[in-house]
Amino acid sequence: MTTPSGPGDGRLDPGLSAIMSERRQLINLAYRLLGSLAEAEDVVQETYARWYAMSRQRQEAIESPGGWLTKVAGRICLDLLGSARARRESYVGEWIPEPLPDRMEWPGGRPGDATIDPADRVTLDESISMAFLVVLESMTPAERVALILHDVFGYSFADVAETVGRTPAACRQLAFSARRRIRTSRSPVAPTARQAGMVRDFKRAWEAKDIDALIGLLDPGATAIVDGGGLVSAGLRPIEGGEQIARYIIAITRRAPGLTLLERTVNGQPGLVAQQDGVIVTVAACDVVGDRIKRIWAVRNPDKLRPWTVHGVEEQWDGHRR
């Protein structure tokens, strides 16, 4: 998008280019905060609407337009997170963050704050994993915003305070509390090649309807969560236990004989996509711990699968991070 700097002169407004270049950053931020690409795009649209609602004089008086946009987007997300809990209570069945196709994640983020222990910093890759996004759901909105802005995108606690509406010291405590939740739930991350191999073996066992192989690949205490949103068939509660999950998968295969499984990158990690008559009906993310699959998050809600069907997902992973 371009606009002339003056009537009829054909020159581009350099300020507009700088403002629009922040869009990628804002989408990355809002997706991590909300767990929904659709909602993230709405937040970015509203953020830009507020920018352009200001006079040119007010815009030029802002020292850091990118910082202003981030602050506004963060505040909008904070308000949405406050109302999201009420919406989730009325959600039919289990709620899972919207899965992100690999090609829709972009590099981004700010330079790291040197005061953070590198061991505490969350990497950009880790911060879009389904396991991480699910843990975020257990946090308060303020904890979530403080952690993402500071630990992931590298903003100072003084900047975070302007977004959250609390003191820098309070925001530091919010981030500390959020990190503690992450450490409590975090499992050792298996190398990507091992994850890919496990998911590929799981796919083959599923296609072969080999229940013993499926049970062998699943941790005995594994959990599977299926999100149908009340729009398609899905379990209303988590499926507990490797054997129970394996039997559930075999039952699905018998009910849908034409199901096609594809290896795809889901939220930065090896996962599976299921197609029925060429239409994507399920996107599954897997958490591999050691040599077993510990958790499966399967999204079947068609509203959450739109990014996959609209943009397409052509590439397969080959066992290595691209």
Side-chain angles (χ1 to χ4, degrees):
M1 180 187 297
T2 58
T3 57
S5 59
D9 64 11
R11 290 180 298 163
L12 302 182
D13 179 358
L16 176 61
S17 177
I19 288 297
M20 294 310 295
S21 69
E22 295 290 333
R23 187 178 187 279
R24 174 181 298 180
Q25 166 87 0
L26 298 175
I27 287 284
N28 276 325
L29 170 67
Y31 172 75
R32 286 166 173 81
L33 290 176
L34 301 174
S36 167
L37 187 61
E39 290 185 2
E41 290 172 339
D42 289 342
V43 166
V44 174
Q45 183 175 351
E46 173 62 20
T47 300
Y48 278 117
R50 295 187 186 185
W51 171 265
Y52 288 111
M54 295 190 298
S55 67
R56 184 65 174 265
Q57 291 72 23
R58 289 187 62 191
Q59 292 174 359
E60 292 175 345
I62 295 173
E63 182 177 350
S64 172
W68 185 93
L69 292 168
T70 297
K71 184 195 306 181
V72 170
R75 286 176 177 171
I76 295 172
C77 288
L78 189 62
D79 291 340
L80 288 174
L81 287 169
S83 61
R85 295 200 168 194
R87 296 199 308 271
R88 306 268 165 81
E89 288 177 0
S90 60
Y91 193 83
V92 178
E94 296 289 327
W95 187 93
I96 300 175
E98 183 179 300
L100 189 71
D102 182 63
R103 63 165 58 183
M104 298 198 65
E105 168 61 11
W106 306 282
R110 302 294 186 186
D113 186 332
T115 63
I116 307 174
D117 183 339
D120 285 334
R121 179 171 291 285
V122 177
T123 66
L124 280 169
D125 283 350
E126 181 187 4
S127 68
I128 61 162
S129 73
M130 192 62 73
F132 182 84
L133 294 177
V134 168
V135 175
L136 287 181
E137 287 297 309
S138 69
M139 300 180 187
T140 68
E143 285 176 336
R144 192 164 179 165
V145 173
L147 177 78
I148 295 299
L149 280 177
H150 184 261
D151 286 24
V152 178
F153 288 91
Y155 285 93
S156 70
F157 283 121
D159 291 329
V160 176
E162 293 185 20
T163 300
V164 179
R166 305 192 188 186
T167 65
C171 291
R172 187 183 299 274
Q173 182 59 39
L174 286 170
F176 175 80
S177 176
R179 290 187 207 114
R180 185 169 52 198
R181 291 177 187 262
I182 293 172
R183 283 195 294 267
T184 300
S185 62
R186 180 180 283 166
S187 300
V189 178
T192 303
R194 183 184 299 174
Q195 294 179 48
M198 291 294 299
V199 174
R200 182 170 290 127
D201 289 345
F202 187 79
K203 169 182 175 288
R204 291 169 177 166
W206 185 337
E207 291 171 331
K209 305 180 183 63
D210 188 338
I211 190 168
D212 291 332
L214 287 171
I215 292 173
L217 292 166
L218 290 160
D219 187 279
T223 302
I225 298 176
V226 184
D227 178 347
L231 301 177
V232 296
S233 62
L236 297 180
R237 294 180 178 81
I239 304 167
E240 305 285 353
E243 183 174 347
Q244 288 74 12
I245 295 171
R247 295 189 182 282
Y248 175 82
I249 288 172
I250 295 298
I252 290 174
T253 305
R254 289 170 179 163
R255 290 198 302 267
L259 205 64
T260 300
L261 299 177
L262 305 171
E263 301 169 2
R264 293 292 183 266
T265 299
V266 181
N267 286 71
Q269 296 179 326
L272 294 175
V273 167
Q275 290 183 338
Q276 186 77 45
D277 299 323
V279 177
I280 294 176
V281 294
T282 303
V283 173
C286 302
D287 187 22
V288 177
V289 178
D291 59 354
R292 299 287 182 91
I293 296 174
K294 182 72 174 179
R295 301 177 189 86
I296 299 173
W297 297 279
V299 176
R300 302 201 67 237
N301 184 336
D303 290 341
K304 295 184 177 183
L305 299 181
R306 284 175 183 163
W308 294 76
T309 57
V310 172
H311 298 275
V313 280
E314 305 299 331
E315 304 91 341
Q316 289 187 219
W317 41 259
D318 60 1
H320 303 279
R321 187 179 298 280
R322 290 192 301 249

